[in-house]
Amino acid sequence: MAQPDVDALRELLTLDELTNRVGMSVRNVRFYTAKGLVPPPIRRGRSGYYTSEHVARLELVRELQGHGFTLAAIERYLDGIPAETTPEDLALRRTMLAPWSAESMVELSHAELEERAARRLDADAVEMLEVVGIVQRAGRGRYRVATSQLAIGLGLLDLGFPTEAALAAREVYAAHGRAVAEELNEVFRTRVWPAYKEAGATPETIREVVEKLKPLSIASLVAAYESAMDDTRREGIERRARRQEESDSRSASARRTASR
């Protein structure tokens, strides 16, 4: 972990001030410190004080917990962060963890889900809705549901869309989505963040930039996908037309040969 710099030491926080800042209990802060997720407090006589690095790391831990990370997963994630990482860099990591989709998920029981759907939903139907990303299992017979997309999923069920096809499509989305995310994250890390950091931007400014970029990024991805689908469809039509022309040419040649 990075050593606190001069600027970080200008604002030393007591334990009570730290817990108020990050919204955690004293017990949790001490637990995370004992687990090595945050560095120990800086000692001044008998008192312990905390810096912006403690704040940033605890906020990152809280963000990871909010995304369902287990304690072991949080430990692995933090172990992968370089020791020289600054509080600003930690804040950036936390910002990039925030959901990029504006879709809100509503938690429902199975009965409530069926009530929203206005129909009975057997295990196969729920599996289909899971595969297309409209339903997520929340445990104990409950689900997180993207209610604005539920009608689309029900329409696919009515049309008998094959679950195997949905699974194959999801694998394509996952593979290429990860590649896009990794490349965009690298662009942000190497080009966007250094420019703002050099200008003295605060983590809050970076968070605002990311929030404004999210809808633009999603719109750009949708536009690129639509354009690529149009190109692919057009190229497919052209290939079929060429094959038909070649087939017609061979048939005509065969007829001419036969008539001689």
Side-chain angles (χ1 to χ4, degrees), residues 160-249:
F161 191 75
T163 302
E164 294 79 5
L167 280 167
R170 186 172 71 173
E171 290 175 359
V172 172
Y173 299 146
H176 293 279
R178 176 174 291 276
V180 170
E182 289 175 350
E183 291 183 27
L184 284 178
N185 188 68
E186 186 66 11
V187 168
F188 199 97
R189 187 184 68 83
T190 60
R191 301 194 180 188
V192 178
W193 170 234
Y196 279 95
K197 186 176 182 180
E198 185 177 348
T202 64
E204 288 72 23
T205 298
I206 298 298
R207 180 179 288 271
E208 185 176 354
V209 169
V210 172
E211 290 299 327
K212 291 185 182 301
L213 280 175
K214 286 178 182 180
L216 293 177
S217 298
I218 293 171
S220 296
L221 285 171
V222 171
Y225 170 77
E226 291 175 342
S227 177
M229 287 294 286
D230 288 340
D231 291 342
T232 300
R233 185 168 56 251
R234 182 173 58 253
E235 291 166 1
I237 292 172
E238 291 173 351
R239 284 195 300 271
R240 288 193 295 272
R242 285 195 299 270
R243 286 197 296 267
Q244 186 62 48
E245 289 175 358
E246 293 169 356
S247 176
D248 292 345
S249 177

Side-chain angles (χ1 to χ4, degrees), residues 116-146:
R116 291 285 185 107
R119 68 174 70 182
R120 296 293 300 275
L121 296 171
D122 60 18
D124 290 338
V126 173
E127 180 186 10
M128 174 62 180
L129 294 175
E130 281 188 274
V131 168
V132 296
I134 294 171
V135 167
Q136 299 173 4
R137 294 187 184 272
R140 300 185 301 280
R142 299 186 66 80
Y143 306 93
R144 287 187 291 274
V145 183

Side-chain angles (χ1 to χ4, degrees), residues 103-104 145-152:
E103 175 67 62
S104 58
V145 183
T147 53
S148 67
Q149 303 295 319
L150 183 57
I152 297 173

